[in-house]
Every structure is written in C-alpha cells, then in structure tokens.
Amino acid sequence: MNKRNTFLSVLVMGVVPALALTSSALTALYFALCVIVLSVVSRLILVPLTKKSENATRMILIIIVNVTLVSALSMLLNAFMHSIYNSFGIYFSLLALCGLLLITISDEKDKSLKESLSSGLKISLLYGCSLVLTGVVREVFASRSFFSLELSFIKESPLPLLAKAPGAFFVYAVILALLSALCIKEDK
C-alpha cells in the first residue's frame, strides 16, 4: 500500500470520530492528542513484541495492547482531566479503533522501531490535523467561536448546518479531498 492510500485509508476509516468529536475545536484537539499519544506508545510496545510473531498472534497482541492503553488513558483522563474525559462522552472508545487502524493499516513487521515511530507519527499527525481543522471550521462557521473564544466580528452564524452531523461530514469530505490532492501532488 503506497503512502497516499495509507493516509487516506486512516482518514476515511476515522470518519466516525470526526463526525462525533469535531463540533468544538478544543475537543477535536484533545482527541487528536490522545490519538498521537496512543500511536506512539503502542508502537513503542508493539514493535519489539511483534517482530517475530505470526500474523494471528500479532493481531491479538495489537488488540490487547491498544485496548489496554485506551483503558489506561481513559482512567487517567477521568482522574486528572475530568472535563476532557466528559467532552469525549461515549466516543472515547473510538480511540481504540483509531489505534488499531493506525497500527494495522501498514505492515509494521519489516520496519525498525525508528521507522515505525516515524510512520505512525506522520499518520496520526495527519489524522489529528484533519480532526482539528474540521473542528475549527465547524466551530467558526456554526458557533461563531474559535477554540471556545467568542468571535464578536461574526454577527450571525453563517452556516448553522455545520453544527450538525451532515455539516461535519461535508467539512471532513472537503478536507479529505484537499489532503488527497496534496498527497497526489507529493507522489508525482
């Protein structure tokens, strides 16, 4: 799978968190940071563990490590950053799905720890940036605010549809198309 398809696969499969958690740029940023932390920590654990394991064992290890890390992150957020934990709501479990996608989307078996961390960081940063950008666009044009700061120069919400799920889908689709165009341009 080439680089463009890897990035786009993660973005397309990660559409549910984008729809659910991007009504606020701040919530999208927190979720993006959680995805990045999960990606880096899980690769630090999984690359040495799965180097010589068979595919079936490898998949079981990936699932166990990701679910364990998401549970630990959930407990830490609940204990120390309760407002962030509450802003995710029931969608926090989607973080496990994001982690599974970020790890399994490319074959990490032949990569060194450094290569795996580098590719994981790139993919999770791209996904996180798409989430934050979706959140910023939705918040500015639907709620007239920017990272929860009121934008007084916008008198009326220009696009209230963006506050709803169809608006999130539209914004995310436009961002996905732009990133796809950038990846195609970069491939040439």
Side-chain angles (χ1 to χ4, degrees):
M1 188 179 282
N2 66 23
K3 184 170 83 172
R4 183 177 131 254
N5 287 339
T6 302
F7 287 159
L8 295 178
S9 298
V10 169
L11 292 173
V12 168
M13 288 187 254
V15 75
V16 174
L19 294 175
L21 297 169
T22 58
S23 60
S24 158
L26 209 49
T27 304
L29 178 65
Y30 293 144
F31 193 78
L33 290 173
C34 288
V35 168
I36 293 166
V37 166
L38 176 67
S39 178
V40 169
V41 174
S42 64
R43 283 170 192 269
L44 284 171
I45 295 169
L46 285 168
V47 169
L49 275 179
T50 60
K51 246 336 173 194
K52 296 183 181 177
S53 62
E54 302 207 13
N55 284 341
T57 309
R58 183 174 176 268
M59 189 52 97
I60 292 169
L61 285 171
I62 289 170
I63 291 170
I64 290 170
V65 168
N66 271 296
V67 170
T68 303
L69 288 174
V70 169
S71 296
L73 189 55
S74 173
M75 287 186 272
L76 285 171
L77 286 176
N78 193 17
F80 299 108
M81 300 174 178
H82 196 68
S83 62
I84 295 171
Y85 176 79
N86 283 339
S87 69
F88 291 157
I90 61 169
Y91 298 104
F92 194 79
S93 58
L94 293 173
L95 189 57
L97 172 66
C98 291
L100 291 173
L101 291 175
L102 293 171
I103 289 288
T104 59
I105 201 72
S106 59
D107 188 18
E108 299 295 324
K109 206 171 189 178
D110 301 328
K111 293 182 179 179
S112 69
L113 180 60
K114 184 179 178 181
E115 291 171 328
S116 180
L117 282 172
S118 174
S119 71
L121 199 54
K122 286 176 190 173
I123 292 171
S124 59
L125 279 171
L126 180 68
Y127 178 67
C129 287
S130 70
L131 284 177
V132 173
L133 189 56
T134 303
V136 166
V137 169
R138 289 183 70 199
E139 188 174 0
V140 167
F141 290 107
S143 304
R144 298 175 303 147
S145 60
F146 180 73
F147 285 95
S148 302
L149 300 171
E150 187 70 30
L151 298 175
S152 58
F153 60 88
I154 300 176
K155 300 295 180 204
E156 194 174 302
S157 180
L159 299 168
L161 176 67
L162 293 184
K164 302 193 182 330
F169 188 74
F170 175 75
V171 171
Y172 195 72
V174 169
I175 290 170
L176 185 63
L178 291 173
L179 289 174
S180 177
L182 287 173
C183 287
I184 289 170
K185 189 175 181 180
E186 190 177 291
D187 283 347
K188 289 183 180 180

